[in-house]
Amino acid sequence: MENIVITISRQYGSGGKTIGAMLAKELGVNCYSREILRMASEDSGINERLFGMSDEKIRKAGWFRILNRPYEGQLLPPEDRDFVSDDNLFNYQAKVIKELASKETCVIIGRCADYVLKDYPNVVSVFIHADRKFCLARSMERHSMTEKEMQKYIEKTDRYRADFYEYHTGHKWADARNYDLSLNSAKLGFEKCVEEIRSYMKIRFK
């Protein structure tokens, strides 16, 4: 069987990254998140800091975010004036994602991986979400902010991710129709989310 890639999109505080790491550990495969930025930096020669600045967010002016330029795969050469543009930084990340999918079974967190790999047959796309109270409580455990500050941070981060996804895919980030599975981590818990994904994989890939 060809490699199977599980992509996980997630609301901030829902535990999507943790669920992805748990799933990868159970399957005995790698889980990639920010590592993709480092790999894209090494491949392109562009400073990793620039990838970090545009990580799942659009640096362009607010009005520009309502536009979208769905990913098509082209890479700009170093001499191009847009070599370090948001579009090209994303294209290098997408190149890394495709290379990973061709080499190994793995879990990939965020970065529109579901769309980048939309033409790959063995991709399981998952969206992890949870209610506001759950996301806030979990985030408060990890950050020293007031509840009001944390809630604003959560809303801002999810807005960045939604804008980023829509800009690069032309689709709505939280639309369940974009994914194979949409799981509520607050109701299921992390372990049950992992079980649900594995059960789906067993049924689909026999």
Side-chain angles (χ1 to χ4, degrees):
M1 181 181 289
E2 295 180 6
N3 298 326
I4 297 173
V5 180
I6 303 93
T7 68
I8 297 184
S9 297
R10 72 283 183 228
Q11 288 183 322
Y12 190 87
S14 67
K17 186 176 180 180
T18 299
I19 291 167
M22 291 169 61
L23 175 65
K25 184 176 180 180
E26 286 198 16
L27 295 175
V29 302
N30 291 317
C31 180
Y32 295 99
S33 181
R34 288 189 63 86
E35 296 84 357
I36 292 172
L37 306 182
R38 174 183 55 78
M39 297 166 77
S41 173
E42 292 173 353
D43 185 35
S44 64
I46 299 172
N47 193 303
E48 186 176 343
R49 183 178 62 84
L50 292 179
F51 283 97
M53 290 171 61
S54 65
D55 186 27
E56 295 194 287
K57 64 172 70 76
I58 300 298
R59 292 181 295 170
K60 296 182 174 69
W63 64 267
F64 198 87
R65 295 175 188 172
I66 64 174
L67 306 175
N68 60 68
R69 293 182 62 180
Y71 166 74
E72 296 179 348
Q74 69 277 14
L75 291 170
L76 300 177
E79 61 272 17
D80 194 291
R81 66 178 183 178
D82 290 326
F83 182 60
V84 296
S85 65
D86 283 340
D87 294 334
N88 208 40
L89 293 174
F90 178 80
N91 291 346
Y92 270 102
Q93 292 177 66
K95 179 174 182 281
V96 169
I97 289 169
K98 286 183 173 181
E99 289 173 348
L100 290 172
S102 69
K103 294 176 183 177
E104 61 182 285
T105 291
C106 60
V107 176
I108 299 178
I109 308 296
R111 295 161 186 87
C112 307
D114 58 293
Y115 185 84
V116 172
L117 300 176
K118 67 183 187 302
D119 296 325
Y120 286 54
N122 295 337
V123 174
V124 177
S125 57
V126 182
F127 185 79
I128 303 294
H129 61 97
D131 59 78
R132 179 178 296 184
K133 184 178 179 180
F134 178 89
C135 292
L136 178 60
R138 187 170 178 275
S139 299
M140 289 293 291
E141 294 175 356
R142 299 155 56 208
H143 299 280
S144 56
M145 297 184 189
T146 65
E147 284 195 10
K148 186 176 182 180
E149 289 171 339
M150 192 71 251
Q151 188 58 53
K152 286 185 177 180
Y153 183 79
I154 291 171
E155 292 172 356
K156 181 176 71 173
T157 302
D158 282 347
R159 186 169 63 251
Y160 281 154
R161 290 176 179 176
D163 289 345
F164 181 84
Y165 188 89
E166 184 169 356
Y167 179 80
H168 289 295
T169 72
H171 300 300
K172 296 295 184 181
W173 175 62
D175 188 338
R177 292 172 295 182
N178 295 326
Y179 308 96
D180 296 313
L181 295 174
S182 180
L183 303 175
N184 187 324
S185 58
K187 293 183 177 179
L188 288 176
F190 293 177
E191 292 184 359
K192 289 294 185 182
C193 283
V194 172
E195 286 182 23
E196 288 295 326
I197 298 170
R198 294 196 66 176
S199 294
Y200 174 85
M201 292 173 66
K202 288 179 181 178
I203 294 170
R204 178 170 162 187
F205 300 114
K206 298 180 173 51

